Amino acid sequence: MTDLRLAIRDLVVANRILANEDVVDAYGHVSIRHPADPTRYLLARSLSPELIERDDIMEFELDGTPVGDTRQPYLERFIHGAIYEARPDVQAVVHAHAEAVLPFTITPTPLQPVIHSGSFMGVHVPVWDIRDDFGDTNLLVANMAHGRDLARCLGADNVALMRGHGFAAAARSLIEVVRMSVYVPRNARALLAATGLGPVKALSPGEIAARAAGYQPHSPETWRAWEYWARRAGCGHMLARRPVRSATKSRR
Ligand code: MN
């Protein structure tokens, strides 16, 4: 398969995983930067992630213009292009409305990593409020000005919360952004469950850095989660074989 076909296949799997893990529902989306052209990205047409097949993936310019395609795109595709434009290091983006993060978008209480698997959101999770610069809107990221404002708020961080709406997550690979998007709501639930029990002990910046330093995107541990989530989501048959590098290193 070409890099593009592999990227599309992985993107379909990512959509199904995020749907099955309740990160997205009818709404929410995941994209990857085009493997051969960093000025473009791949994102499904306007369709719920659980239903997405290879043929539903469209190609976009960073400004959100579809490339040779007249199908209906997601209105909020500007989230993706604006983040790719601002962050050359980012290869994959998720936008979701996961309920567990919402309390942290509407109160001053910061979302911070409190469980080990939540560490990848990083020390700082900013909250973007569309009203600050755009006044009363329908809260949707409906153009590049909105998207660029969100990307500015994200800055060099991995996750930005969106007030009264959800979150946007960005990472250097698809597997990392999916993993982060699965664990951000779980971390939020743990933090909410702890609230009222006593003072909350968050991960320290040193612990967060230690986990980031130890993370290998092609390790057997990383693959284990991808394989598990994909099979649960009913698309195990679409999986790539385990990367050769990891398979040879970890034969047991
Ligand atoms: Mn949205």
Side-chain angles (χ1 to χ4, degrees):
M1 272 199 267
T2 62
D3 284 354
L4 180 59
R5 282 186 58 81
L6 289 171
I8 290 172
R9 178 202 60 195
D10 289 347
L11 188 55
V12 171
V13 173
N15 271 280
R16 307 285 191 80
I17 289 174
L18 292 171
N20 191 57
E21 299 299 321
D22 283 331
V23 179
V24 296
D25 48 26
Y27 301 98
H29 18 89
V30 52
S31 70
I32 45 173
R33 201 187 281 272
H34 193 295
D37 184 351
T39 69
R40 293 183 178 178
Y41 63 94
L42 305 170
L43 176 70
R45 69 185 176 89
S46 184
L47 188 67
S48 297
E50 186 173 313
L51 308 177
I52 287 164
E53 309 274 0
R54 288 170 200 259
D55 288 346
D56 297 312
I57 305 299
M58 297 173 65
E59 193 172 317
F60 295 91
E61 306 280 358
L62 292 189
D63 69 2
T65 307
V67 178
D69 203 318
T70 55
R71 293 176 292 176
Q72 177 71 41
Y74 292 124
L75 172 69
E76 291 196 293
R77 62 191 179 281
F78 305 103
I79 294 169
H80 302 262
I83 292 174
Y84 292 125
E85 180 185 80
R87 291 276 301 275
D89 59 311
V90 166
Q91 299 299 324
V93 172
V94 166
H95 167 57
H97 303 156
E99 244 178 86
V101 308
L102 297 178
F104 300 95
T105 75
I106 54 177
T107 60
T109 303
L111 179 61
Q112 51 185 342
V114 294
I115 57 175
H116 76 300
S117 47
S119 66
F120 301 110
M121 74 177 77
V123 175
H124 179 239
V125 179
V127 182
W128 177 67
D129 187 348
I130 193 170
R131 196 160 65 207
D132 288 348
D133 276 10
F134 300 97
D136 290 335
T137 64
N138 63 4
L139 278 82
L140 302 179
V141 179
N143 54 52
M144 277 307 277
H146 294 159
R148 284 176 179 137
D149 197 48
L150 169 61
R152 218 174 357 259
C153 174
L154 176 68
D157 291 318
N158 301 324
V159 178
L161 300 182
M162 302 160 72
R163 193 263 306 164
H165 183 166
F167 71 86
R172 60 190 169 162
S173 70
L174 187 63
I175 199 164
E176 283 167 272
V177 87
V178 166
R179 176 191 171 103
M180 191 154 60
S181 301
V182 167
Y183 285 117
V184 160
R186 291 186 190 178
N187 185 96
R189 280 196 286 276
L191 183 47
L192 286 168
T195 301
L197 295 180
V200 169
K201 211 181 243 188
L203 267 63
S204 70
E207 287 170 336
I208 293 167
R211 285 187 51 78
Y215 179 77
Q216 298 294 335
H218 301 291
S219 72
E221 291 76 16
T222 302
W223 177 250
R224 189 166 88 193
W226 183 260
E227 184 179 40
Y228 169 72
W229 288 324
R231 285 184 184 279
R232 267 165 60 100
C235 50
H237 61 286
M238 293 186 67
L239 285 178
R241 285 210 197 119
R242 178 199 274 225
V244 174
R245 252 188 308 166
S246 342
T248 49
K249 257 191 217 161
S250 70
R251 189 167 294 150
R252 359 186 130 126

